[in-house]
Amino acid sequence: MAKAKKQPRPKAVTPKGFRDYFGEEVTQRSHMLGQIADVYHHYGFDALESSAVETVEALGKFLPDVDRPNEGVFAWQEADENDKGDWMALRYDLTAPLARVYAQHRNDLPSPYRRYAMGPVWRNEKPGPGRYRQFYQCDADTVGTASMAADAEICMMLSDTLERVGIPRGDYLVRVNNRKVLNGVLEAMGLAEDDPKRDDVLRTIDKFDKVGEAGVRELLTKGRLDASGAFIDGVGLGDAQADPVIAFLTSKAADVAGTMANLHNAVGDSKVGVEGINELEQIGELLAAGGYGDDQVLIDPSIVRGLGYYTGPVFEAELTFEILDEKGRKRQFGSVSGGGRYDGLVKRFTGQEVPAVGVSIGVDRLLAALREKGRLAATPTGPVVVTVMDRARMADYQAMVAELRNAGIRAEVYLGNPKNFGNQLKYADKRNSPIAVIEGGEEKERGVVQIKDLRVGTLVSQSSSDNQKWAENLQQKTVDRSSLVSSVSEMLKRGSPRLDAEGNIVDASGSLLLPKEYLL
Amino acid sequence: MAKAKKQPRPKAVTPKGFRDYFGEEVTQRSHMLGQIADVYHHYGFDALESSAVETVEALGKFLPDVDRPNEGVFAWQEADENDKGDWMALRYDLTAPLARVYAQHRNDLPSPYRRYAMGPVWRNEKPGPGRYRQFYQCDADTVGTASMAADAEICMMLSDTLERVGIPRGDYLVRVNNRKVLNGVLEAMGLAEDDPKRDDVLRTIDKFDKVGEAGVRELLTKGRLDASGAFIDGVGLGDAQADPVIAFLTSKAADVAGTMANLHNAVGDSKVGVEGINELEQIGELLAAGGYGDDQVLIDPSIVRGLGYYTGPVFEAELTFEILDEKGRKRQFGSVSGGGRYDGLVKRFTGQEVPAVGVSIGVDRLLAALREKGRLAATPTGPVVVTVMDRARMADYQAMVAELRNAGIRAEVYLGNPKNFGNQLKYADKRNSPIAVIEGGEEKERGVVQIKDLRVGTLVSQSSSDNQKWAENLQQKTVDRSSLVSSVSEMLKRGSPRLDAEGNIVDASGSLLLPKEYLL
């Protein structure tokens, strides 16, 4: 074999827009995915895992939120003899592969087909802060039924899921709206389905959050001077023509019945509009029958996000608690999940319309929310580290670590160069180890080991240097070699020692370890 | 927006060489991955999840088992202004990304760094039966230590992992060999490091399983007539020169001490060979100290697979029980995991040699083995299906299903067209439902529901048609609406009714449900 030419060293960098996840970042996510899968499974949804790769043809041009249908995916051409292989691409979401799978396997799948899927998706987009080109989605969809019971079920399941992962009632809200009601509003305004002004109206509705009722009215009619002093052209509708939009956006009343009455006003006698309202009423009844209250799932015509993509009911789950943004301002955490009813995805393949409804949870955002709220284990616990005092007695240390593991304690032996003991403790610190085990030659002779509580370190730094002595006492214990496991186990159980409000040293549960009188 | 031109319908097919996984295939794998992660974590390994995408430059040309370093990956060029973007590729294993991550983050990572990773990898290879272009790997590696304690630890962990996922002691064996011993053998034969005959000898050693001791000797020397009558040229070594290879391949003795003595004979005074034997001895001592016996991890010079790729100790986990192959012949299930010590991966990036050792488990093969042995839940349990007798009373059915779920029972309401009740039962059958719940108008009036044990169906088919009556009795129960949850729960607990050896009907635990005398 000819020797390869000397090449410059490759750069060790994560590709642009991608990132690595370490330790707890990985395990917390997989724990959450497990919890979500559990709820989905409980509702009768079955798992589906399709491959990351699809043909570009099968993926289609259905990228939501994106105006450039041909961009946005990572794609390549398969090599074959004539270099004319198929184009392949990484999936950009979990819905397009579902449509392909359903079209391909529909004769073998139960109908309706409830499935959930979780995994990474890829977007070939300009990365930004906190915006990566690979991220997780976690979807549940019901394919093959037009029944509103499917939509209601997904709302209930979303509510259950949020509570299951640790968002208590009151800290979230699933809001439900219906694209058909909006279509009814457009009809009531006298805008035909192909009227280009429909798009203008949709864009204006999206600004309701920012400019309010009066602002929307101005934008729909004669135009508006914005905060910077620039004039924004209006859509040019008459004042009366704008009324249904305003009625729609402000239709939320104190109770569902009131909201429904307002919506009826907004859509007038538009057939599709009335159908949409009936669907919302059905969903409301089913939610009530399932025992879900307005504090969990709410019919709310003010949510408009995603209305463009969906064809019937739409849902959005928001976290309602406040966090501080990067500039220290309070703001609501916002949306962590969205979904709705969509048609046409399967039809692309089969020619037959197949009604479907689904939801997608932004797992990484939800994790971020739980971190913000301190609902994820704050300090992950590293392994107990058995230090190496005598390189020739590795087998002794190995035996200790095996005993600890067999007792269910996460433990490891130090595998680096044991010469410098300080390095071993630095290593244990980096590993977040709660405890180090030490057995030098002297201890070995006496049949004892020392166990050192590494969590006391922070305590020491909180106290005067005069208190080093008791800290050391609390920190280090000499125990019989034969009681290694029980002593480590006990020390683990007492948790991180800390100072209480009075200045005593207590264990994690608040039990007294050392009264303040003993402290200098 | 201009209307898109009518295009031919896309084909709904999984791309060639890829596949979809449904239901239990997904959940069983994720359950197993969870078990493996648990063991790895217990040993002090931390999770790492890098992205599926790496730069081609960072991935390098380290594809193991493949002679074509430039092929084998799915790659594409990033688009930029000048169409001169970086080349990106899907990772082909989890080791190459580890090398990149370690080189990139080495100052922040503990040293040594124990990490585990699990996830799909992609190979751009010709797919074959059971060979897919996306599959799961599950790796653990320790980077930054040359200590044999790291190698021993990985062998113990592999043994623990196999037992944890359900392979009992006696049904698996982790075998350990050392590439350095083989290098010592080559040295003892007088073959210098750049002697082209080294490759010939390696290739011949790989045939030991097939041709045995005498066959290897012939192939190393004068050549051999194979079973088909064709003559295979020999390597052309002298008989004495072939001796060390034969001594090496046949070195396995009744105990470790005997094996070691044989290996010393094989390597003579080769320095690297003796070093390799010492390493094996150290591993043996550490295994013994950890309490691992020869029936779990065995020093075995007869394993040669992977010797080419690694630089020190190598391991292979084999399942030793027999299965029937596709032609009905008995054969051992074979290897499910391999690993060893390797150098140079990190050096590519940093110029510094970093010793590392790792193991990779073939998750899909391991799952297949457990399925073969019937160690995975045979019949997955679908949800309880609440049928719909009256479309207008969906809220009633929704309430039932919510009650069942709140009691921890997997349940769903039928969401298809309820007109044809037979279709609902067919659906429940496809879903593997244990129980269907029925509430028609009459039941509603009387305040009762019917619960139907769908698992009795197979029982009926085992009996004469005259026994329909009792089957129906056993199958269907009318209970108070208020005791829906407790009755379903009880029926679930009794499991699938079956005929026992005497012909009585018993529940899953063997308790009598109906004596045979009652059967016609």
Side-chain angles (χ1 to χ4, degrees):
Chain A
M1 203 169 71
K3 280 222 166 152
K5 258 191 236 161
K6 183 108 183 162
Q7 288 193 330
R9 280 185 203 143
K11 281 190 286 290
V13 289
T14 326
K16 209 177 128 197
F18 294 88
R19 57 162 292 197
D20 303 310
Y21 295 84
F22 293 91
E24 297 291 311
E25 290 177 319
V26 178
T27 51
Q28 284 170 347
R29 180 166 58 202
S30 86
H31 179 68
M32 178 184 277
L33 290 175
Q35 289 176 315
I36 298 174
D38 224 38
V39 177
Y40 287 179
H41 183 260
H42 206 58
Y43 268 78
F45 285 71
D46 275 351
L48 168 67
E49 186 169 331
S50 58
S51 67
V53 179
E54 297 278 346
T55 64
V56 164
E57 185 193 355
L59 273 188
K61 302 177 175 180
F62 276 82
L63 243 188
D65 322 323
V66 165
D67 294 331
R68 309 150 298 153
N70 276 316
E71 299 181 19
V73 298
F74 293 104
W76 63 90
Q77 193 174 17
E78 283 265 270
D80 72 357
E81 304 80 52
N82 317 310
D83 250 351
K84 298 245 168 126
D86 289 338
W87 276 87
M88 316 278 272
L90 291 177
R91 65 184 179 203
Y92 55 76
D93 72 2
L94 300 172
T95 313
L98 169 64
R100 193 266 304 155
V101 168
Y102 187 83
Q104 183 174 349
H105 300 281
R106 63 190 184 283
N107 293 329
D108 302 316
L109 293 172
S111 175
Y113 178 47
R114 286 179 178 94
R115 88 87 181 78
Y116 71 86
M118 32 190 59
V121 300
W122 292 265
R123 302 270 169 97
N124 191 357
E125 294 169 344
K126 227 186 167 64
R131 244 174 100 88
Y132 297 99
R133 306 208 285 178
Q134 171 176 331
F135 55 93
Y136 269 76
Q137 285 194 338
C138 187
D139 285 21
D141 293 79
T142 304
V143 183
T145 177
S147 167
M148 282 303 115
D151 304 63
E153 179 177 85
I154 286 205
C155 293
M156 297 186 233
M157 190 165 75
L158 184 50
S159 162
D160 282 12
T161 302
L162 293 172
E163 294 186 17
R164 172 67 182 277
V165 302
I167 311 282
R169 212 163 292 179
D171 270 357
Y172 75 90
L173 196 56
V174 178
R175 296 174 203 270
V176 186
N177 197 357
N178 195 331
R179 168 72 207 227
K180 286 185 183 170
V181 178
L182 180 61
N183 285 348
V185 168
L186 294 167
E187 239 179 70
M189 294 166 74
L191 299 176
E193 259 188 62
D194 54 357
D195 193 318
K197 280 189 176 159
R198 278 202 168 200
D199 281 342
D200 298 333
V201 172
L202 286 177
R203 264 194 291 276
T204 308
I205 283 177
D206 250 348
K207 293 183 185 140
F208 178 59
D209 278 352
K210 282 190 205 137
V211 304
E213 180 183 336
V216 164
R217 186 174 283 278
E218 283 176 345
L219 286 171
L220 286 175
T221 53
K222 61 186 193 307
R224 181 173 185 266
L225 222 55
D226 77 4
S228 70
F231 185 78
I232 315 295
D233 283 340
V235 179
L237 303 176
D239 226 37
Q241 217 180 356
D243 282 345
V245 176
I246 303 299
F248 171 69
L249 288 173
T250 60
S251 57
K252 201 168 131 196
D255 57 22
V256 177
T259 304
M260 294 301 157
N262 289 339
L263 286 180
H264 273 293
N265 270 342
V267 304
D269 52 7
S270 153
K271 203 172 146 238
V272 65
V274 171
E275 193 178 304
I277 297 172
N278 288 344
E279 288 179 357
L280 287 177
E281 277 171 341
Q282 279 180 60
I283 291 175
E285 275 168 38
L286 291 164
L287 289 169
Y292 290 76
D294 273 6
D295 54 342
Q296 294 167 283
V297 187
L298 183 71
I299 309 282
D300 181 352
S302 74
I303 65 148
V304 287
R305 237 196 61 181
L307 276 178
Y309 180 66
Y310 295 107
T311 56
V314 295
F315 345 110
E316 188 166 51
E318 276 186 290
L319 302 189
T320 53
F321 54 77
E322 286 183 333
I323 55 156
L324 297 180
D325 68 12
E326 54 283 6
K327 290 183 181 162
R329 291 170 304 204
K330 276 190 184 177
R331 62 166 184 82
Q332 286 216 336
F333 190 89
S335 172
V336 290
S337 173
R341 186 163 273 284
Y342 54 91
D343 301 314
L345 274 190
V346 179
K347 190 180 181 182
R348 291 180 57 232
F349 295 101
T350 63
Q352 278 183 310
E353 195 130 301
V354 179
V357 57
V359 69
S360 182
I361 291 181
V363 177
D364 294 309
R365 268 186 68 75
L366 194 49
L367 275 171
L370 286 170
R371 267 187 212 115
E372 285 278 353
K373 292 287 277 182
R375 300 245 172 76
L376 292 177
T379 39
T381 304
V384 169
V385 170
V386 174
T387 59
V388 174
M389 303 297 284
D390 180 354
R391 196 197 286 262
R393 289 199 295 105
M394 195 52 122
D396 287 351
Y397 304 120
Q398 188 57 63
M400 286 189 212
V401 102
E403 279 175 39
L404 289 167
R405 281 185 202 130
N406 290 340
I409 296 168
R410 188 183 189 205
E412 57 172 52
V413 67
Y414 181 69
L415 286 178
N417 185 340
K419 233 170 161 180
N420 180 335
F421 189 68
N423 278 349
Q424 299 199 43
L425 291 185
K426 264 184 220 150
Y427 169 84
D429 191 49
K430 210 162 200 172
R431 298 288 286 118
N432 263 311
S433 289
I435 293 172
V437 177
I438 305 157
E439 191 204 49
E442 196 208 340
E443 283 94 3
K444 170 80 178 170
E445 246 170 62
R446 288 170 52 208
V448 298
V449 292
Q450 293 193 45
I451 57 176
K452 188 178 170 79
D453 192 332
L454 303 174
R455 301 162 301 183
V456 179
T458 43
L459 231 191
V460 177
S461 66
Q462 286 168 3
S463 316
S464 68
S465 61
D466 294 335
N467 285 327
Q468 289 291 345
K469 189 68 200 152
W470 62 254
E472 277 167 23
N473 277 335
L474 196 64
Q475 198 163 27
Q476 202 140 334
K477 235 175 132 174
T478 304
V479 303
D480 270 2
R481 169 67 182 81
S482 60
S483 65
L484 168 69
V485 169
S486 59
S487 304
V488 167
S489 189
E490 202 176 296
M491 195 179 266
L492 281 175
K493 262 186 226 133
R494 87 175 178 199
S496 289
R498 57 186 171 84
L499 287 175
D500 71 3
E502 277 90 49
N504 304 302
I505 298 180
V506 294
D507 71 9
S509 68
S511 296
L512 194 67
L513 289 172
L514 198 69
K516 63 175 173 189
E517 291 80 20
Y518 289 80
L519 303 180
L520 299 176
Chain B
M1 204 169 67
K3 280 221 168 153
K5 258 191 236 159
K6 185 105 184 164
Q7 289 192 329
R9 280 184 205 144
K11 281 191 284 290
V13 289
T14 324
K16 209 176 127 197
F18 294 88
R19 57 161 294 197
D20 303 309
Y21 296 83
F22 293 91
E24 298 290 311
E25 290 178 318
V26 180
T27 50
Q28 284 170 347
R29 179 166 57 203
S30 86
H31 180 67
M32 178 183 278
L33 290 175
Q35 289 176 315
I36 298 175
D38 225 37
V39 178
Y40 287 179
H41 184 259
H42 207 57
Y43 269 76
F45 285 69
D46 274 351
L48 169 66
E49 186 169 332
S50 59
S51 67
V53 179
E54 296 277 348
T55 64
V56 165
E57 185 194 356
L59 273 187
K61 301 178 174 179
F62 276 83
L63 242 188
D65 322 322
V66 165
D67 294 331
R68 308 152 297 153
N70 277 316
E71 300 181 17
V73 298
F74 292 105
W76 63 90
Q77 193 174 17
E78 283 263 272
D80 70 359
E81 305 79 51
N82 318 311
D83 251 348
K84 298 245 168 129
D86 290 338
W87 275 88
M88 316 279 271
L90 291 177
R91 64 183 180 205
Y92 55 76
D93 72 2
L94 299 172
T95 312
L98 169 64
R100 193 265 304 155
V101 167
Y102 187 82
Q104 183 175 350
H105 300 282
R106 64 191 183 282
N107 294 328
D108 302 316
L109 293 172
S111 174
Y113 177 48
R114 288 178 176 94
R115 88 87 179 77
Y116 70 86
M118 32 190 60
V121 301
W122 293 265
R123 301 270 169 97
N124 192 357
E125 295 170 343
K126 226 187 166 66
R131 243 175 99 88
Y132 296 100
R133 306 209 285 178
Q134 171 176 328
F135 55 92
Y136 269 78
Q137 286 193 338
C138 186
D139 284 22
D141 292 79
T142 303
V143 183
T145 177
S147 166
M148 283 301 116
D151 304 64
E153 180 177 86
I154 286 205
C155 293
M156 298 185 231
M157 190 164 76
L158 185 51
S159 162
D160 283 12
T161 302
L162 293 172
E163 294 185 17
R164 172 67 183 275
V165 303
I167 311 282
R169 213 164 292 181
D171 270 357
Y172 75 90
L173 196 57
V174 177
R175 296 175 204 271
V176 186
N177 197 356
N178 195 331
R179 167 74 206 226
K180 287 184 183 170
V181 178
L182 179 62
N183 285 348
V185 169
L186 294 167
E187 239 178 70
M189 296 167 74
L191 298 176
E193 258 187 63
D194 54 357
D195 194 317
K197 281 190 176 158
R198 278 203 167 198
D199 281 343
D200 298 334
V201 173
L202 286 176
R203 264 193 292 275
T204 308
I205 284 178
D206 250 349
K207 293 182 185 142
F208 179 59
D209 278 352
K210 281 190 207 138
V211 303
E213 180 183 339
V216 165
R217 186 174 285 278
E218 284 176 343
L219 285 171
L220 286 174
T221 53
K222 60 186 196 306
R224 179 173 188 267
L225 222 54
D226 77 3
S228 70
F231 185 78
I232 314 294
D233 284 338
V235 179
L237 303 176
D239 226 35
Q241 217 181 357
D243 283 344
V245 176
I246 303 298
F248 172 69
L249 288 174
T250 60
S251 58
K252 200 169 132 193
D255 56 21
V256 177
T259 303
M260 293 301 157
N262 290 340
L263 285 179
H264 273 291
N265 271 342
V267 305
D269 52 8
S270 153
K271 202 172 147 239
V272 65
V274 171
E275 192 178 304
I277 297 172
N278 289 344
E279 288 181 355
L280 287 178
E281 278 172 340
Q282 279 181 60
I283 292 175
E285 276 168 37
L286 291 165
L287 289 169
Y292 290 76
D294 273 5
D295 55 342
Q296 294 168 283
V297 187
L298 183 71
I299 309 282
D300 182 352
S302 75
I303 66 148
V304 287
R305 236 195 61 179
L307 275 178
Y309 179 67
Y310 295 106
T311 56
V314 295
F315 343 111
E316 188 166 51
E318 274 185 291
L319 302 189
T320 53
F321 54 77
E322 287 183 331
I323 55 156
L324 298 179
D325 69 9
E326 55 282 6
K327 289 181 181 164
R329 291 171 303 206
K330 276 189 184 177
R331 62 166 185 84
Q332 288 215 337
F333 191 89
S335 172
V336 290
S337 173
R341 186 163 273 285
Y342 53 91
D343 301 314
L345 273 190
V346 178
K347 190 180 180 183
R348 292 180 56 232
F349 295 102
T350 63
Q352 279 183 308
E353 196 131 299
V354 178
V357 56
V359 68
S360 182
I361 293 181
V363 178
D364 294 309
R365 268 186 69 75
L366 194 50
L367 274 171
L370 287 170
R371 265 185 214 116
E372 284 279 354
K373 292 286 276 181
R375 299 244 172 78
L376 292 177
T379 40
T381 304
V384 169
V385 170
V386 174
T387 59
V388 173
M389 303 297 284
D390 180 353
R391 197 197 284 261
R393 289 199 295 107
M394 196 51 122
D396 286 351
Y397 304 120
Q398 188 57 64
M400 286 189 211
V401 103
E403 278 174 40
L404 290 166
R405 280 185 202 130
N406 289 340
I409 296 166
R410 189 183 187 206
E412 57 172 54
V413 67
Y414 181 69
L415 286 178
N417 186 340
K419 233 169 162 179
N420 179 335
F421 189 68
N423 278 349
Q424 299 200 42
L425 291 185
K426 265 184 220 149
Y427 169 84
D429 192 48
K430 210 162 199 171
R431 298 288 285 119
N432 263 311
S433 289
I435 293 172
V437 176
I438 305 158
E439 191 204 49
E442 196 209 336
E443 284 94 3
K444 171 80 179 169
E445 244 170 63
R446 288 171 51 209
V448 298
V449 292
Q450 293 192 45
I451 58 177
K452 189 178 170 80
D453 192 331
L454 303 174
R455 300 163 301 183
V456 179
T458 43
L459 230 191
V460 176
S461 66
Q462 286 166 5
S463 317
S464 68
S465 62
D466 293 336
N467 285 328
Q468 289 291 345
K469 189 70 199 151
W470 62 254
E472 277 168 23
N473 277 335
L474 196 64
Q475 199 163 26
Q476 201 139 336
K477 232 175 132 174
T478 303
V479 303
D480 270 1
R481 170 66 183 81
S482 60
S483 66
L484 168 70
V485 169
S486 59
S487 305
V488 167
S489 187
E490 202 177 296
M491 194 178 266
L492 280 175
K493 261 186 226 133
R494 87 175 179 201
S496 289
R498 58 186 171 84
L499 287 175
D500 71 4
E502 279 88 49
N504 305 302
I505 298 180
V506 295
D507 70 10
S509 68
S511 296
L512 193 67
L513 289 172
L514 199 71
K516 62 177 172 187
E517 292 79 18
Y518 288 81
L519 303 179
L520 298 176

